[in-house]
Short mmCIF file of all heavy atoms in Angstrom, two decimals:
data_model
loop_
_atom_site.label_atom_id
_atom_site.label_comp_id
_atom_site.label_asym_id
_atom_site.label_seq_id
_atom_site.Cartn_x
_atom_site.Cartn_y
_atom_site.Cartn_z
N VAL A 8 -33.18 -31.16 20.07
CA VAL A 8 -33.13 -30.21 19.04
C VAL A 8 -32.57 -30.90 17.73
O VAL A 8 -31.47 -31.49 17.77
CB VAL A 8 -32.21 -29.02 19.41
CG1 VAL A 8 -32.19 -28.04 18.29
CG2 VAL A 8 -32.70 -28.35 20.66
N ILE A 9 -33.40 -30.97 16.72
CA ILE A 9 -32.98 -31.57 15.49
C ILE A 9 -32.47 -30.61 14.47
O ILE A 9 -33.15 -29.63 14.19
CB ILE A 9 -34.16 -32.41 14.81
CG1 ILE A 9 -34.96 -33.18 15.87
CG2 ILE A 9 -33.63 -33.43 13.79
CD1 ILE A 9 -34.30 -34.13 16.76
N GLY A 10 -31.27 -30.83 14.03
CA GLY A 10 -30.48 -29.87 13.22
C GLY A 10 -29.58 -29.13 14.09
O GLY A 10 -29.99 -28.49 15.07
N ALA A 11 -28.25 -29.37 13.88
CA ALA A 11 -27.19 -28.70 14.72
C ALA A 11 -26.58 -27.56 13.99
O ALA A 11 -25.37 -27.36 14.07
CB ALA A 11 -26.22 -29.75 15.18
N GLY A 12 -27.32 -26.99 13.06
CA GLY A 12 -26.75 -25.82 12.32
C GLY A 12 -26.86 -24.56 13.17
O GLY A 12 -26.77 -24.70 14.41
N GLN A 13 -26.98 -23.50 12.48
CA GLN A 13 -26.93 -22.15 13.19
C GLN A 13 -28.12 -22.03 14.22
O GLN A 13 -27.85 -21.74 15.35
CB GLN A 13 -27.16 -21.02 12.15
CG GLN A 13 -26.07 -21.01 11.05
CD GLN A 13 -24.83 -20.24 11.43
OE1 GLN A 13 -24.25 -20.58 12.56
NE2 GLN A 13 -24.39 -19.32 10.67
N VAL A 14 -29.30 -22.31 13.74
CA VAL A 14 -30.48 -22.18 14.64
C VAL A 14 -30.45 -23.21 15.70
O VAL A 14 -30.59 -22.89 16.88
CB VAL A 14 -31.78 -22.20 13.87
CG1 VAL A 14 -33.02 -22.09 14.87
CG2 VAL A 14 -31.88 -21.05 12.79
N GLY A 15 -30.24 -24.49 15.39
CA GLY A 15 -30.36 -25.63 16.28
C GLY A 15 -29.27 -25.50 17.36
O GLY A 15 -29.64 -25.56 18.61
N ALA A 16 -28.02 -25.33 16.99
CA ALA A 16 -26.97 -25.27 17.99
C ALA A 16 -27.12 -24.06 18.88
O ALA A 16 -26.92 -24.13 20.10
CB ALA A 16 -25.61 -25.16 17.24
N THR A 17 -27.53 -22.91 18.32
CA THR A 17 -27.71 -21.75 19.21
C THR A 17 -28.88 -21.94 20.14
O THR A 17 -28.81 -21.48 21.30
CB THR A 17 -27.87 -20.42 18.36
OG1 THR A 17 -26.89 -20.49 17.34
CG2 THR A 17 -27.61 -19.15 19.13
N VAL A 34 -29.22 -33.21 17.58
CA VAL A 34 -29.08 -34.21 16.57
C VAL A 34 -28.86 -33.60 15.16
O VAL A 34 -29.46 -32.54 14.87
CB VAL A 34 -30.49 -35.04 16.41
CG1 VAL A 34 -30.40 -36.19 15.40
CG2 VAL A 34 -30.90 -35.54 17.75
N ASP A 35 -28.01 -34.27 14.39
CA ASP A 35 -27.84 -33.88 13.03
C ASP A 35 -27.48 -35.14 12.15
O ASP A 35 -27.05 -36.09 12.76
CB ASP A 35 -26.78 -32.85 12.83
CG ASP A 35 -26.91 -31.93 11.63
OD1 ASP A 35 -26.63 -32.35 10.55
OD2 ASP A 35 -27.37 -30.74 11.79
N ILE A 36 -27.61 -34.98 10.83
CA ILE A 36 -27.20 -36.05 9.97
C ILE A 36 -25.68 -35.98 9.76
O ILE A 36 -25.16 -37.05 9.35
CB ILE A 36 -27.92 -36.18 8.62
CG1 ILE A 36 -28.22 -34.78 8.01
CG2 ILE A 36 -29.13 -37.03 8.62
CD1 ILE A 36 -28.58 -34.80 6.62
N VAL A 37 -25.12 -34.89 9.89
CA VAL A 37 -23.75 -34.74 9.63
C VAL A 37 -22.91 -35.22 10.80
O VAL A 37 -23.08 -34.85 12.00
CB VAL A 37 -23.32 -33.28 9.31
CG1 VAL A 37 -21.78 -33.14 9.07
CG2 VAL A 37 -24.08 -32.65 8.16
N GLU A 38 -22.10 -36.28 10.52
CA GLU A 38 -21.34 -36.88 11.61
C GLU A 38 -20.32 -35.93 12.20
O GLU A 38 -19.63 -35.27 11.46
CB GLU A 38 -20.65 -38.17 11.09
CG GLU A 38 -21.59 -39.41 11.11
CD GLU A 38 -20.94 -40.60 10.56
OE1 GLU A 38 -19.72 -40.83 10.87
OE2 GLU A 38 -21.68 -41.33 9.84
N LEU A 40 -20.76 -33.16 13.67
CA LEU A 40 -21.20 -31.80 13.85
C LEU A 40 -21.95 -31.51 15.21
O LEU A 40 -21.50 -30.63 16.00
CB LEU A 40 -22.12 -31.34 12.64
CG LEU A 40 -22.60 -29.92 12.72
CD1 LEU A 40 -21.53 -28.91 12.46
CD2 LEU A 40 -23.79 -29.67 11.75
N PRO A 41 -23.01 -32.40 15.56
CA PRO A 41 -23.61 -32.13 16.84
C PRO A 41 -22.71 -32.45 17.96
O PRO A 41 -22.71 -31.77 19.01
CB PRO A 41 -24.86 -33.08 16.80
CG PRO A 41 -24.55 -34.10 15.71
CD PRO A 41 -23.65 -33.41 14.72
N LYS A 44 -20.13 -29.55 18.42
CA LYS A 44 -20.76 -28.28 18.94
C LYS A 44 -21.09 -28.48 20.39
O LYS A 44 -21.04 -27.60 21.20
CB LYS A 44 -21.90 -27.85 18.10
CG LYS A 44 -21.48 -27.28 16.71
CD LYS A 44 -22.62 -26.57 16.06
CE LYS A 44 -22.09 -25.88 14.71
NZ LYS A 44 -23.09 -25.24 13.94
N THR A 64 -25.42 -36.09 18.95
CA THR A 64 -25.55 -37.47 18.35
C THR A 64 -26.05 -37.38 16.92
O THR A 64 -26.62 -36.45 16.46
CB THR A 64 -26.52 -38.18 19.27
OG1 THR A 64 -26.73 -39.53 18.77
CG2 THR A 64 -27.98 -37.52 19.31
N ASN A 65 -25.87 -38.54 16.26
CA ASN A 65 -26.56 -38.76 14.94
C ASN A 65 -27.65 -39.77 15.06
O ASN A 65 -28.20 -40.23 14.07
CB ASN A 65 -25.47 -39.19 13.87
CG ASN A 65 -24.28 -38.29 13.81
OD1 ASN A 65 -23.24 -38.63 14.23
ND2 ASN A 65 -24.48 -37.13 13.33
N TYR A 67 -31.18 -41.13 16.55
CA TYR A 67 -32.55 -40.68 17.13
C TYR A 67 -32.85 -41.52 18.42
O TYR A 67 -33.64 -41.03 19.22
CB TYR A 67 -33.62 -40.79 16.09
CG TYR A 67 -33.65 -39.65 15.13
CD1 TYR A 67 -33.02 -39.69 13.96
CD2 TYR A 67 -34.35 -38.48 15.49
CE1 TYR A 67 -33.01 -38.64 13.12
CE2 TYR A 67 -34.36 -37.37 14.63
CZ TYR A 67 -33.69 -37.48 13.45
OH TYR A 67 -33.66 -36.44 12.60
N ILE A 78 -37.58 -28.75 15.77
CA ILE A 78 -37.12 -29.19 14.42
C ILE A 78 -36.56 -28.00 13.72
O ILE A 78 -37.37 -27.05 13.39
CB ILE A 78 -38.33 -29.83 13.61
CG1 ILE A 78 -38.85 -31.09 14.40
CG2 ILE A 78 -37.84 -30.20 12.26
CD1 ILE A 78 -39.98 -31.82 13.63
N THR A 79 -35.32 -27.95 13.56
CA THR A 79 -34.66 -26.86 12.81
C THR A 79 -33.92 -27.39 11.59
O THR A 79 -33.31 -26.59 10.87
CB THR A 79 -33.53 -26.14 13.70
OG1 THR A 79 -32.41 -26.92 13.76
CG2 THR A 79 -34.04 -25.85 15.09
N SER A 80 -34.02 -28.72 11.36
CA SER A 80 -33.32 -29.32 10.21
C SER A 80 -33.93 -28.74 8.90
O SER A 80 -35.12 -28.72 8.75
CB SER A 80 -33.37 -30.81 10.29
OG SER A 80 -34.67 -31.19 10.59
N GLY A 81 -33.06 -28.55 7.90
CA GLY A 81 -33.50 -28.07 6.62
C GLY A 81 -32.62 -26.94 6.17
O GLY A 81 -31.79 -26.43 6.88
N LEU A 82 -32.83 -26.59 4.86
CA LEU A 82 -32.05 -25.52 4.28
C LEU A 82 -32.51 -24.14 4.70
O LEU A 82 -33.66 -23.94 4.82
CB LEU A 82 -32.14 -25.61 2.74
CG LEU A 82 -30.96 -26.37 2.05
CD1 LEU A 82 -30.81 -27.69 2.62
CD2 LEU A 82 -31.24 -26.42 0.57
N PRO A 83 -31.60 -23.21 4.92
CA PRO A 83 -31.88 -21.81 5.14
C PRO A 83 -31.88 -21.13 3.75
O PRO A 83 -31.46 -21.62 2.80
CB PRO A 83 -30.82 -21.30 6.08
CG PRO A 83 -29.64 -22.14 5.68
CD PRO A 83 -30.11 -23.48 5.13
N ARG A 84 -32.37 -19.91 3.81
CA ARG A 84 -32.43 -19.07 2.54
C ARG A 84 -31.08 -18.53 2.13
O ARG A 84 -30.19 -18.35 3.00
CB ARG A 84 -33.33 -17.82 2.82
CG ARG A 84 -34.80 -18.11 2.76
CD ARG A 84 -35.50 -16.81 2.60
NE ARG A 84 -35.74 -16.13 3.89
CZ ARG A 84 -36.37 -14.95 3.89
NH1 ARG A 84 -36.64 -14.21 2.80
NH2 ARG A 84 -36.61 -14.36 5.04
N ARG A 90 -38.75 -17.56 1.44
CA ARG A 90 -38.92 -18.79 2.36
C ARG A 90 -39.63 -19.83 1.57
O ARG A 90 -39.34 -21.04 1.62
CB ARG A 90 -39.71 -18.50 3.59
CG ARG A 90 -38.99 -17.45 4.54
CD ARG A 90 -39.71 -17.30 5.82
NE ARG A 90 -39.05 -16.37 6.68
CZ ARG A 90 -39.28 -15.00 6.70
NH1 ARG A 90 -40.19 -14.48 5.87
NH2 ARG A 90 -38.71 -14.27 7.54
N LEU A 93 -37.87 -22.67 -0.41
CA LEU A 93 -37.32 -23.88 0.27
C LEU A 93 -38.33 -25.06 0.41
O LEU A 93 -37.91 -26.12 0.94
CB LEU A 93 -36.99 -23.35 1.73
CG LEU A 93 -35.97 -22.28 1.83
CD1 LEU A 93 -35.96 -21.77 3.27
CD2 LEU A 93 -34.55 -22.68 1.51
N VAL A 96 -37.66 -29.02 -0.85
CA VAL A 96 -36.46 -29.70 -0.24
C VAL A 96 -36.76 -29.84 1.30
O VAL A 96 -36.51 -30.88 1.86
CB VAL A 96 -35.10 -29.08 -0.54
CG1 VAL A 96 -35.23 -27.56 -0.32
CG2 VAL A 96 -34.00 -29.62 0.27
N ASN A 97 -37.30 -28.82 1.88
CA ASN A 97 -37.61 -28.93 3.34
C ASN A 97 -38.70 -29.85 3.74
O ASN A 97 -38.76 -30.39 4.83
CB ASN A 97 -37.63 -27.54 3.92
CG ASN A 97 -36.25 -26.95 4.05
OD1 ASN A 97 -35.25 -27.51 3.88
ND2 ASN A 97 -36.23 -25.57 4.46
N LYS A 99 -39.33 -32.68 2.53
CA LYS A 99 -38.78 -34.07 2.62
C LYS A 99 -38.03 -34.29 3.90
O LYS A 99 -38.12 -35.20 4.63
CB LYS A 99 -37.70 -34.34 1.51
CG LYS A 99 -38.42 -34.55 0.18
CD LYS A 99 -37.43 -35.04 -0.83
CE LYS A 99 -37.88 -34.77 -2.25
NZ LYS A 99 -37.36 -33.52 -2.92
N ILE A 100 -37.22 -33.24 4.29
CA ILE A 100 -36.42 -33.25 5.48
C ILE A 100 -37.35 -33.30 6.71
O ILE A 100 -37.22 -34.14 7.63
CB ILE A 100 -35.44 -32.09 5.59
CG1 ILE A 100 -34.40 -32.26 4.46
CG2 ILE A 100 -34.81 -32.04 6.96
CD1 ILE A 100 -33.43 -31.01 4.34
N VAL A 101 -38.32 -32.44 6.78
CA VAL A 101 -39.26 -32.32 7.94
C VAL A 101 -40.08 -33.62 8.01
O VAL A 101 -40.31 -34.08 9.19
CB VAL A 101 -40.10 -31.05 7.83
CG1 VAL A 101 -41.22 -31.06 8.97
CG2 VAL A 101 -39.21 -29.81 8.01
N LYS A 102 -40.43 -34.17 6.96
CA LYS A 102 -41.21 -35.41 7.02
C LYS A 102 -40.38 -36.53 7.62
O LYS A 102 -40.85 -37.15 8.57
CB LYS A 102 -41.65 -35.77 5.62
CG LYS A 102 -42.30 -37.20 5.52
CD LYS A 102 -42.63 -37.63 4.10
CE LYS A 102 -43.31 -38.97 4.15
NZ LYS A 102 -42.49 -39.98 3.63
N GLU A 103 -39.13 -36.68 7.11
CA GLU A 103 -38.24 -37.74 7.59
C GLU A 103 -37.97 -37.56 9.06
O GLU A 103 -37.96 -38.51 9.90
CB GLU A 103 -36.93 -37.47 6.83
CG GLU A 103 -35.94 -38.57 6.86
CD GLU A 103 -34.71 -38.13 6.01
OE1 GLU A 103 -34.88 -37.83 4.75
OE2 GLU A 103 -33.69 -37.86 6.60
N VAL A 104 -37.69 -36.30 9.54
CA VAL A 104 -37.43 -36.06 10.88
C VAL A 104 -38.63 -36.36 11.79
O VAL A 104 -38.55 -36.93 12.82
CB VAL A 104 -36.91 -34.60 11.04
CG1 VAL A 104 -36.87 -34.16 12.57
CG2 VAL A 104 -35.57 -34.42 10.47
N GLN A 107 -39.20 -39.83 12.75
CA GLN A 107 -38.30 -40.29 13.82
C GLN A 107 -38.95 -39.75 15.17
O GLN A 107 -38.75 -40.49 16.18
CB GLN A 107 -36.89 -39.81 13.59
CG GLN A 107 -36.24 -40.38 12.33
CD GLN A 107 -36.17 -41.88 12.31
OE1 GLN A 107 -35.81 -42.49 13.34
NE2 GLN A 107 -36.46 -42.52 11.19
N VAL A 119 -41.78 -26.40 15.54
CA VAL A 119 -41.15 -26.39 14.21
C VAL A 119 -40.56 -25.00 13.97
O VAL A 119 -41.14 -23.97 14.24
CB VAL A 119 -42.23 -26.71 13.10
CG1 VAL A 119 -41.57 -26.75 11.69
CG2 VAL A 119 -42.89 -28.05 13.42
N VAL A 120 -39.32 -25.01 13.36
CA VAL A 120 -38.68 -23.80 13.01
C VAL A 120 -38.35 -23.67 11.50
O VAL A 120 -38.13 -22.58 11.03
CB VAL A 120 -37.36 -23.60 13.89
CG1 VAL A 120 -36.81 -22.17 13.76
CG2 VAL A 120 -37.67 -23.91 15.36
N THR A 121 -38.21 -24.77 10.91
CA THR A 121 -37.81 -24.90 9.55
C THR A 121 -38.82 -24.13 8.66
O THR A 121 -40.01 -24.12 8.83
CB THR A 121 -37.80 -26.34 9.05
OG1 THR A 121 -36.89 -27.11 10.01
CG2 THR A 121 -37.20 -26.49 7.72
N ASN A 122 -38.27 -23.45 7.56
CA ASN A 122 -39.07 -22.71 6.68
C ASN A 122 -39.34 -23.47 5.39
O ASN A 122 -38.59 -24.27 5.00
CB ASN A 122 -38.37 -21.37 6.33
CG ASN A 122 -38.65 -20.30 7.42
OD1 ASN A 122 -39.78 -20.05 7.75
ND2 ASN A 122 -37.55 -19.69 7.87
N PRO A 123 -40.45 -23.06 4.68
CA PRO A 123 -41.43 -22.04 4.96
C PRO A 123 -42.31 -22.55 6.10
O PRO A 123 -43.00 -23.58 6.07
CB PRO A 123 -42.20 -21.87 3.69
CG PRO A 123 -42.00 -23.29 2.99
CD PRO A 123 -40.67 -23.78 3.35
N LEU A 124 -42.25 -21.74 7.24
CA LEU A 124 -42.63 -22.23 8.52
C LEU A 124 -44.08 -22.86 8.57
O LEU A 124 -44.19 -24.02 9.05
CB LEU A 124 -42.57 -21.02 9.57
CG LEU A 124 -42.67 -21.33 11.01
CD1 LEU A 124 -44.07 -21.29 11.56
CD2 LEU A 124 -41.97 -22.60 11.45
N MET A 127 -44.42 -26.09 6.98
CA MET A 127 -43.68 -27.10 7.68
C MET A 127 -44.40 -27.50 8.97
O MET A 127 -44.28 -28.82 9.38
CB MET A 127 -42.24 -26.67 8.04
CG MET A 127 -41.38 -26.41 6.78
SD MET A 127 -41.23 -27.75 5.67
CE MET A 127 -42.22 -27.22 4.31
N GLN A 145 -42.70 -21.97 15.45
CA GLN A 145 -42.13 -20.64 15.91
C GLN A 145 -41.98 -19.71 14.69
O GLN A 145 -41.31 -20.03 13.73
CB GLN A 145 -40.75 -20.94 16.52
CG GLN A 145 -40.09 -19.75 17.08
CD GLN A 145 -39.84 -18.57 16.21
OE1 GLN A 145 -40.37 -17.43 16.38
NE2 GLN A 145 -39.10 -18.78 15.12
N LEU A 149 -40.47 -14.42 16.86
CA LEU A 149 -39.33 -13.83 16.12
C LEU A 149 -39.77 -12.53 15.50
O LEU A 149 -39.11 -11.54 15.59
CB LEU A 149 -38.68 -14.82 15.09
CG LEU A 149 -37.74 -14.25 14.06
CD1 LEU A 149 -36.50 -13.69 14.85
CD2 LEU A 149 -37.29 -15.27 13.09
N HIS A 177 -45.66 -16.70 8.33
CA HIS A 177 -44.32 -16.17 8.52
C HIS A 177 -43.78 -15.76 7.09
O HIS A 177 -42.84 -16.39 6.52
CB HIS A 177 -43.39 -17.28 9.13
CG HIS A 177 -42.07 -16.77 9.46
ND1 HIS A 177 -41.80 -15.65 10.13
CD2 HIS A 177 -40.83 -17.43 9.36
CE1 HIS A 177 -40.45 -15.52 10.37
NE2 HIS A 177 -39.88 -16.51 9.93
N VAL A 219 -30.60 -12.00 5.70
CA VAL A 219 -30.09 -12.88 4.66
C VAL A 219 -29.20 -12.10 3.67
O VAL A 219 -28.18 -12.53 3.26
CB VAL A 219 -31.23 -13.60 3.83
CG1 VAL A 219 -30.69 -14.22 2.64
CG2 VAL A 219 -31.98 -14.50 4.75
N LEU A 222 -25.85 -11.45 5.59
CA LEU A 222 -25.02 -12.63 5.86
C LEU A 222 -24.57 -13.27 4.57
O LEU A 222 -23.53 -13.89 4.49
CB LEU A 222 -25.81 -13.63 6.71
CG LEU A 222 -26.18 -13.21 8.15
CD1 LEU A 222 -26.87 -14.31 8.82
CD2 LEU A 222 -24.89 -12.87 8.97
N THR A 224 -24.60 -16.01 3.28
CA THR A 224 -24.44 -17.47 3.21
C THR A 224 -25.46 -18.16 4.12
O THR A 224 -25.45 -19.38 4.32
CB THR A 224 -23.02 -17.91 3.59
OG1 THR A 224 -22.81 -17.28 4.95
CG2 THR A 224 -22.00 -17.48 2.67
N GLY A 225 -26.34 -17.47 4.78
CA GLY A 225 -27.33 -18.12 5.65
C GLY A 225 -28.40 -17.16 6.15
O GLY A 225 -28.44 -16.03 5.56
N SER A 226 -29.20 -17.54 7.09
CA SER A 226 -30.20 -16.64 7.51
C SER A 226 -30.14 -16.48 9.04
O SER A 226 -29.18 -17.04 9.73
CB SER A 226 -31.61 -17.18 7.10
OG SER A 226 -31.86 -18.44 7.53
N ALA A 227 -31.07 -15.67 9.59
CA ALA A 227 -30.95 -15.29 10.98
C ALA A 227 -30.93 -16.45 11.98
O ALA A 227 -31.60 -17.56 11.66
CB ALA A 227 -32.15 -14.44 11.34
N PHE A 228 -30.24 -16.40 13.07
CA PHE A 228 -30.26 -17.43 14.04
C PHE A 228 -30.19 -16.95 15.46
O PHE A 228 -30.65 -17.68 16.35
CB PHE A 228 -29.21 -18.55 13.72
CG PHE A 228 -27.81 -17.99 13.74
CD1 PHE A 228 -26.96 -18.10 14.81
CD2 PHE A 228 -27.26 -17.36 12.60
CE1 PHE A 228 -25.66 -17.69 14.83
CE2 PHE A 228 -25.92 -16.82 12.55
CZ PHE A 228 -25.20 -17.03 13.73
N THR A 231 -33.74 -15.89 16.15
CA THR A 231 -34.61 -17.02 15.92
C THR A 231 -34.54 -18.01 17.20
O THR A 231 -35.57 -18.46 17.69
CB THR A 231 -34.10 -17.82 14.70
OG1 THR A 231 -33.94 -16.82 13.60
CG2 THR A 231 -35.12 -18.83 14.28
N SER A 232 -33.31 -18.29 17.62
CA SER A 232 -33.20 -19.19 18.71
C SER A 232 -33.65 -18.57 20.01
O SER A 232 -34.32 -19.24 20.83
CB SER A 232 -31.74 -19.62 18.85
OG SER A 232 -30.85 -18.53 19.02
N1 LIG B 401 -31.90 -34.69 9.73
C1 LIG B 401 -31.21 -34.00 10.65
N2 LIG B 401 -30.56 -32.85 10.35
C2 LIG B 401 -30.66 -32.39 9.14
C3 LIG B 401 -31.34 -33.15 8.09
C4 LIG B 401 -31.99 -34.31 8.51
N3 LIG B 401 -32.70 -35.03 7.56
N4 LIG B 401 -31.19 -32.43 6.90
C5 LIG B 401 -30.43 -31.37 7.18
N5 LIG B 401 -30.03 -31.36 8.47
C6 LIG B 401 -29.25 -30.41 9.18
C7 LIG B 401 -28.03 -29.95 8.34
O1 LIG B 401 -27.03 -30.89 8.39
C8 LIG B 401 -27.64 -28.65 9.09
O2 LIG B 401 -26.70 -28.85 10.08
O3 LIG B 401 -29.94 -29.18 9.42
C9 LIG B 401 -28.95 -28.24 9.77
C10 LIG B 401 -29.48 -26.82 9.24
O4 LIG B 401 -28.47 -25.88 9.67
P1 LIG B 401 -28.21 -24.63 8.86
O5 LIG B 401 -27.87 -24.96 7.45
O6 LIG B 401 -27.13 -23.81 9.63
O7 LIG B 401 -29.59 -23.73 8.85
P2 LIG B 401 -30.15 -22.78 9.95
O8 LIG B 401 -29.69 -21.43 9.72
O9 LIG B 401 -29.97 -23.45 11.29
O10 LIG B 401 -31.69 -22.79 9.59
C11 LIG B 401 -32.49 -24.02 9.71
O11 LIG B 401 -34.48 -22.82 10.26
O12 LIG B 401 -35.04 -20.61 10.29
C12 LIG B 401 -35.07 -21.75 9.55
O13 LIG B 401 -35.06 -20.99 7.25
C13 LIG B 401 -34.38 -21.70 8.33
O14 LIG B 401 -35.19 -23.71 7.27
C14 LIG B 401 -34.10 -23.12 7.95
C15 LIG B 401 -33.91 -23.75 9.36
#
Side-chain angles (χ1 to χ4, degrees):
V8 180
I9 319 300
Q13 303 274 54
V14 175
T17 316
V34 184
D35 205 284
I36 35 166
V37 178
E38 274 178 40
L40 182 73
K44 288 194 175 175
T64 180
N65 307 111
Y67 279 92
I78 300 182
T79 77
S80 46
L82 261 54
R84 284 196 272 175
R90 294 184 182 89
L93 301 168
V96 50
N97 283 353
K99 284 194 204 95
I100 294 174
V101 170
K102 174 184 182 249
E103 193 182 298
V104 167
Q107 298 299 318
V119 183
V120 189
T121 307
N122 276 310
L124 192 271
M127 294 305 107
Q145 185 301 119
L149 171 61
H177 189 43
V219 172
L222 294 181
T224 53
S226 56
F228 59 100
T231 314
S232 54

